[in-house]
Amino acid sequence: MPQNALLKPVRLGPLDLPNRIVMAPLTRQRALQPGNVPGPLNAEYYAQRANAGLIISEATQICPEGQGYAWTPGIHSQEQVEGWKQVTDRVHRAGGRIFMQLWHVGRISHPLLQPGGAAPVAPSAIQAQADCFVVEPDGSAHKARTAMPRALETSEIAGVVEAYRAAAANAMAAGFDGVEVHAANGYLLDQFLCSDSNQRTDQYGGSLENRARLVLEVIDAVIAEVADSSRVGIRLSPMGTFNDVHDADPTETFSYLLQQLNDKGLAYVHVNKPDWAGGTYEGFDELYRSLRDTYSGTMIHCGGHTAESAEATIVNGEADLVAFGRAYIANPDLAERIEVGADWNALDGSTLYGGGAKGYTDYPTMR
Ligand code: PHB
C-alpha cells in the first residue's frame, strides 16, 4: 500500500517535520489565574500531541488589551514567558515542534476584560454582533455581548505593531520554534482587512492597500524581530463571517494580501474555513484554489477535515500541510491513528472551554 501522503516528511524553514499533520490553534481557556499563565497541565496537553508535524499554540494575547475571553493565556508578562517555557520544553522533549499564535482580539472584548475597564479598541467604533467571555470582579465568568469599541487613533497604531513585535520576542525567548500571526476569524487584524469593520479614513482604511497595511506592518515587524522569516507564519480566513466580519470582495482582498506576502519568505500561509462557526462558504473552495495559485510558498489548509479529505488535499496539490482542530482535541495520538487507519475518538463539546484535565488531557490514546 502506498504511504499516506500526510505522512511524507516536509521541510518548513529550518525545521524538518516528520509529517504534514498540523495541530490547529485551539482556544481552551485553561490558563492559571491570576495572570493568564500557562502551567503544567497545559504543558502535558501539548506534549501529548507532539506527534503532529507542527503544533500551533492556542491564540495567545500579545498585550492585556488583546484579550477577549476569560482564562486565555498571554505572552506579555515575564510570568507568562516562564509558563510557556514549560510547554515548549515538554513538547521538544516529546519530539515535537511548536509555533505560538499571536493574538489581539480588537473589538471582540468588553470593559470587564480591559485594563482600567476601558472600551476595547478597533479600526472603527462599530460594535460586533458577537460574543466574548467576561470575568466579573468576583472571578465568576460568563458569556457577554461584545462592547462598543473605540477607534484606534492613527498615532496609536505604531504601538499595536510594537506589541506584536514584543510578543514575538517573548515567544522566541519562551522557546517556541516560530510564531503565527493571527489575522483570521474576525479579530483585530481581520477587522482591519475587512471592509465592513474598517471605516477608517486614514492610511489604514478605505482602499485595499490601506486595509492591508496594518497586517503587513505587523508581519514585517515580527520578521525583523524573529530575524528569520521562515519561522513566521500567518493565519487567514477569507470569506469567514465569525465575529461579524464581512468583506465586500474577499477574492480581491485576499489575492492582494497573498501577492504582498509572496515576497516575505514566510514559513507558511495558513488558510482556515471556520465551518464550526456556521456559514455556508459558497465559493470558498474556488477562492482557496485561486489563492493557492497566487501564493508561491507553503500553505496549510484547515477546516473540518477527515483523514481522507486531508490526504486528498495533499495528493491534489491543494496544500502542503493540513491542520486538524477538533480531531486533535479528542485524539492526542491523531498522527498515529492516521498512520494505522484507526477510528477517531468523538469530541466532548461540553469540555472545550475552561475547566481542568477533564476533556483536556484525559482523551484516550490507542496504546
Ligand atoms: C474562540 O475563543 O472562540 C476563538 C479564538 C480564536 C479563534 C477562533 C475562535 O481564531
Side-chain angles (χ1 to χ4, degrees):
M1 207 170 64
Q3 199 203 31
N4 187 317
L6 289 167
L7 302 172
K8 224 174 96 197
V10 64
R11 183 119 181 132
L12 194 72
L15 305 174
D16 279 317
L17 312 190
N19 61 54
R20 290 153 187 265
I21 300 166
V22 176
M23 179 180 170
L26 295 155
T27 289
R28 304 302 309 275
Q29 294 177 277
R30 282 165 166 89
L32 296 173
Q33 302 305 314
N36 301 318
V37 179
L41 184 68
N42 310 113
E44 184 183 348
Y45 161 79
Y46 283 110
Q48 287 174 342
R49 290 157 178 79
N51 52 80
L54 179 69
I55 296 172
I56 303 166
S57 83
E58 66 208 273
T60 300
Q61 50 261 6
I62 58 164
C63 55
E65 294 80 3
Q67 184 174 11
Y69 307 85
W71 320 308
T72 51
I75 187 67
H76 50 83
S77 76
Q78 196 51 41
E79 217 187 340
Q80 290 162 348
V81 171
E82 297 305 321
W84 280 115
K85 274 185 190 163
Q86 302 171 49
V87 174
T88 59
D89 277 357
R90 286 282 308 268
V91 167
H92 290 150
R93 276 194 276 130
R97 295 139 298 275
I98 183 167
F99 273 33
M100 166 169 278
Q101 196 191 48
L102 302 178
W103 192 30
H104 191 311
V105 297
R107 66 179 182 168
I108 306 301
S109 191
H110 190 281
L112 281 168
L113 293 162
Q114 292 292 313
V121 297
S124 302
I126 303 169
Q127 194 172 1
Q129 298 305 308
D131 294 325
C132 55
F133 201 85
V134 300
V135 202
E136 298 285 350
D138 68 5
S140 64
H142 58 88
K143 204 158 126 169
R145 209 64 174 159
T146 59
M148 174 59 92
R150 172 179 78 76
L152 283 160
E153 302 287 342
T154 306
S155 61
E156 290 178 292
I157 302 246
V160 172
V161 176
E162 164 57 21
Y164 278 95
R165 185 210 58 76
N170 283 342
M172 298 312 283
F176 282 89
D177 297 294
V179 295
E180 175 177 285
V181 172
H182 189 350
N185 298 344
Y187 297 109
L188 183 71
L189 297 176
D190 205 17
Q191 290 159 28
F192 270 84
L193 277 172
C194 290
S195 53
D196 273 26
S197 44
N198 184 345
Q199 299 288 323
R200 299 179 72 88
T201 54
D202 64 1
Q203 65 269 39
Y204 293 96
S207 69
L208 179 58
E209 292 77 7
N210 283 356
R211 283 184 282 118
R213 192 177 308 283
L214 178 58
V215 63
L216 292 169
E217 286 184 2
V218 166
I219 286 289
D220 286 343
V222 168
I223 288 174
E225 176 57 47
V226 173
D228 179 355
S229 62
S230 69
R231 290 184 185 271
V232 179
I234 185 170
R235 193 172 210 230
L236 305 169
S237 52
M239 293 179 95
T241 54
F242 179 59
N243 283 326
D244 198 22
V245 282
H246 306 273
D247 188 54
D249 191 344
T251 302
E252 185 188 57
T253 300
F254 288 91
S255 300
Y256 170 77
L257 184 57
L258 289 211
Q259 280 161 21
Q260 300 303 304
L261 293 175
N262 262 334
D263 302 330
K264 305 285 184 197
L266 294 175
Y268 61 79
V269 169
H270 181 180
V271 174
N272 137 63
K273 176 160 78 174
D275 61 326
W276 38 265
T280 54
Y281 296 98
E282 222 171 289
F284 178 89
D285 292 344
E286 201 183 4
L287 170 57
Y288 174 79
R289 276 192 287 271
S290 85
L291 296 178
R292 173 72 166 166
D293 288 342
T294 300
Y295 187 63
S296 54
T298 299
M299 286 182 78
I300 306 177
H301 188 284
C302 183
H305 278 288
T306 61
E308 291 73 29
S309 70
E311 185 180 10
T313 298
I314 303 292
V315 170
N316 299 339
E318 289 171 15
D320 305 286
L321 301 101
V322 175
F324 297 85
R326 288 156 288 187
Y328 245 120
I329 290 177
N331 297 276
D333 54 352
L334 186 66
E336 288 148 31
R337 286 178 192 249
I338 289 174
E339 187 169 0
V340 302
D343 288 341
W344 294 359
N345 297 322
L347 183 74
D348 174 5
S350 72
T351 50
L352 288 176
Y353 303 116
K358 186 168 159 18
Y360 192 54
T361 50
D362 65 353
Y363 278 103
T365 55
M366 291 183 297
R367 293 185 265 116

